[in-house]
Amino acid sequence: MLPAAQFAMAAADIHHRTPEFRALYERVLGQLKTFVGTNNDVLLLASSGTGAMEAAVSNLTSPGDRVLVLSAGKFGERWEALAKAFGCQVDLVSRPYGETFGLDEVKRALRLDTRAVFVQATESSTGVRHDVEGIAQLLKSAGSSALLIVDAITGLGTTRLDVDGWGVDVIIGGSQKAVMIPPGLAYLSLSDRAWKAAEISKNPRYYFDLRKERKNAQKGESSYTPAVALIAALGAALDYIAAQGGGDLAAGRDALVDNAETCAAMTRAAVRALGLELFGPGSYSAAATAVLPPAGVDSGVIVKELKSRFAAIVTNGQGEMKGKIFRIAHIGLFDYMDTIAIVGALEQVAATKLNLPGFAFGKALAAAQQVFAERSARPTAITAREPELVKA
Ligand SMILES: *Cc1c(COP(=O)(O)O)cnc(C)c1O
């Protein structure tokens, strides 16, 4: 967690129906608009990311609505389950874990009465990036009136997204991902078209009534008791991101995306140099890199070795991918130093546990170094961490 956010949390001892809180809330909601990159209002909810996913379904659809879910992993399956839970008639474009969809198959699945299309910007369970821009363009060129609803919980801050320019109607983020604070907050923005759908939805709503939330947010308040300390932390985190862009939050967000892309590219090069294979045929996200262990090795062995010998956290595959892949995160606070460290530790694990043909120390590190040198020679890249940024 970001140290500045930790201090802000500890100091956030204010009552929520006060001018102090209203000032904080309005400031953070404004910052979120810039971070997301939209002119639409952004709402904050006291829930994990899934709460905002559920709010999108319950507020913008009605039972019996035909919707299209694009699914290629655990979080795509969550959209499907949510839409079904609220009585939608779900059409599904489904690809195996590790893959993404072709725009032609999305086009074929789109119908005249499709009310909404649900997708992930990045599918965290597989490390794959989906083509949100392409899907948005497709909806436009097909003359579809379907809302485009994007789970960008790991996409925001790792992926370039032009929310308003592309015509994304709903975009969803979560506090524990790129904004580097603890879990417990979800945020989302809705387009005018989406607000119209919220007005006509026949679903019952109470805690996640976005219309009510918007009305209150306009007065600097939340409908129910807000997660005050997390909101203070979020403000501090967005200040920190702005500082990465010389005080410009949009530039800071772009620097954050750039950093994640650099770490991801370093990791992919390192993994290949080691003789391991990346999971999936391409379209790699910068949120996390999913790697296949050598044949016959359970990925849990690698996860355990990294944790027990180096206190390095990489994650196993989820659900059906457990034991079959391991995932190295690049989102948020990870940077060059972390990436070099994890690649070095991975070489140690490979040396003792993986029996890879042609293994030699330094090959993976050299590949990562090379990528960093090339990318940081580009004028837009950020090349160094802030000196005061110390790991918590
Ligand atoms: C983390 C994540 C979520 C939300 O999960 P919660 O546990 O509810 O915060 C949803 N979608 C994606 C792609 C995620 O990475």
Side-chain angles (χ1 to χ4, degrees):
M1 173 186 179
L2 193 66
Q6 234 161 2
F7 291 126
M9 262 185 105
D13 190 17
I14 51 176
H15 190 275
H16 58 283
R17 303 297 179 209
T18 58
E20 288 86 350
F21 178 76
R22 279 192 282 275
L24 169 69
Y25 201 47
E26 280 170 355
R27 182 173 72 85
V28 172
L29 290 176
Q31 284 176 306
L32 276 176
K33 272 173 79 151
T34 308
F35 180 72
V36 169
T38 178
N39 288 317
N40 299 317
D41 290 342
V42 178
L43 301 178
L44 258 177
L45 303 172
S47 76
S48 83
T50 305
M53 294 171 73
E54 172 162 329
V57 174
S58 66
N59 280 265
L60 305 179
T61 68
S62 296
D65 276 5
R66 186 178 277 283
V67 303
L68 177 59
V69 171
L70 311 179
S71 173
K74 186 168 169 279
F75 293 102
E77 288 163 10
R78 188 165 300 179
W79 272 139
E80 183 189 2
L82 273 165
K84 285 184 173 160
F86 285 89
C88 293
Q89 239 184 295
V90 177
D91 292 321
L92 193 63
V93 173
S94 159
R95 300 294 304 167
Y97 277 49
E99 296 187 11
T100 187
F101 333 95
L103 290 176
D104 45 339
E105 59 186 338
V106 177
K107 192 173 176 184
R108 275 197 303 276
L110 202 61
R111 295 168 185 249
L112 272 177
D113 58 347
T114 303
R115 288 289 175 85
V117 177
F118 294 92
V119 67
Q120 270 63 40
T122 52
E123 173 55 76
S124 320
S125 68
T126 63
V128 166
R129 186 178 63 80
H130 297 320
D131 182 7
V132 174
E133 183 179 15
I135 295 161
Q137 274 170 1
L138 176 74
L139 291 180
K140 271 190 193 152
S141 66
S144 169
S145 61
L147 297 173
L148 178 55
I149 299 176
V150 179
D151 163 6
I153 294 173
T154 52
L156 283 160
T158 66
T159 312
R160 269 159 244 282
L161 297 162
D162 182 1
V163 176
D164 295 349
W166 296 347
V168 173
D169 292 290
V170 179
I171 187 144
I172 298 170
S175 57
Q176 78 271 37
K177 303 284 167 71
V179 290
M180 305 170 275
I181 66 166
L185 288 177
Y187 52 96
L188 77 171
S189 76
L190 276 71
S191 68
D192 289 340
R193 276 164 22 99
W195 282 114
K196 289 201 180 97
E199 291 305 327
I200 61 167
S201 163
K202 295 191 182 69
N203 279 316
R205 283 158 273 179
Y206 193 84
Y207 186 72
F208 289 134
D209 187 337
L210 297 179
R211 298 161 301 180
K212 189 154 94 193
E213 206 58 57
R214 173 157 81 157
K215 232 180 246 162
N216 284 307
Q218 282 163 353
K219 296 181 288 185
E221 300 212 344
S222 57
S223 298
Y224 308 100
T225 308
V228 176
L230 286 173
I231 293 168
L234 181 54
L238 292 167
D239 286 346
Y240 169 79
I241 294 169
Q244 305 290 306
D248 177 340
L249 180 52
R253 176 209 52 217
D254 292 347
L256 194 67
V257 172
D258 229 45
N259 173 65
E261 283 179 345
T262 298
C263 294
M266 288 169 73
T267 304
R268 290 194 298 268
V271 159
R272 286 174 169 139
L274 208 51
L276 292 173
E277 259 179 69
L278 297 169
F279 180 52
S283 193
Y284 302 117
S285 84
T289 298
V291 186
L292 296 165
V297 177
D298 187 299
S299 62
V301 171
I302 298 168
V303 172
K304 221 165 121 195
E305 281 286 300
L306 286 168
K307 172 118 193 275
S308 63
R309 291 183 62 198
F310 303 100
I313 306 294
V314 307
T315 48
N316 205 322
Q318 293 166 286
E320 64 186 69
M321 296 318 298
K322 192 156 195 266
K324 296 183 185 150
I325 56 171
F326 61 99
R327 295 172 299 151
I328 302 171
H330 317 297
I331 195 163
L333 213 45
F334 296 102
D335 66 4
Y336 167 81
M337 298 295 271
D338 302 291
T339 307
I340 288 296
I342 195 79
V343 169
L346 195 57
E347 285 192 343
Q348 293 293 343
V349 172
T352 52
K353 295 275 172 186
L354 299 187
N355 206 9
L356 294 164
F359 172 82
F361 279 120
K363 277 190 190 172
L365 279 166
Q369 294 280 33
Q370 191 63 38
V371 168
F372 183 82
E374 281 160 15
R375 288 182 64 90
S376 53
R378 300 184 334 191
T380 56
I382 61 161
T383 55
R385 64 164 70 190
E386 287 285 280
E388 71 269 26
L389 178 54
V390 181
K391 287 286 151 10

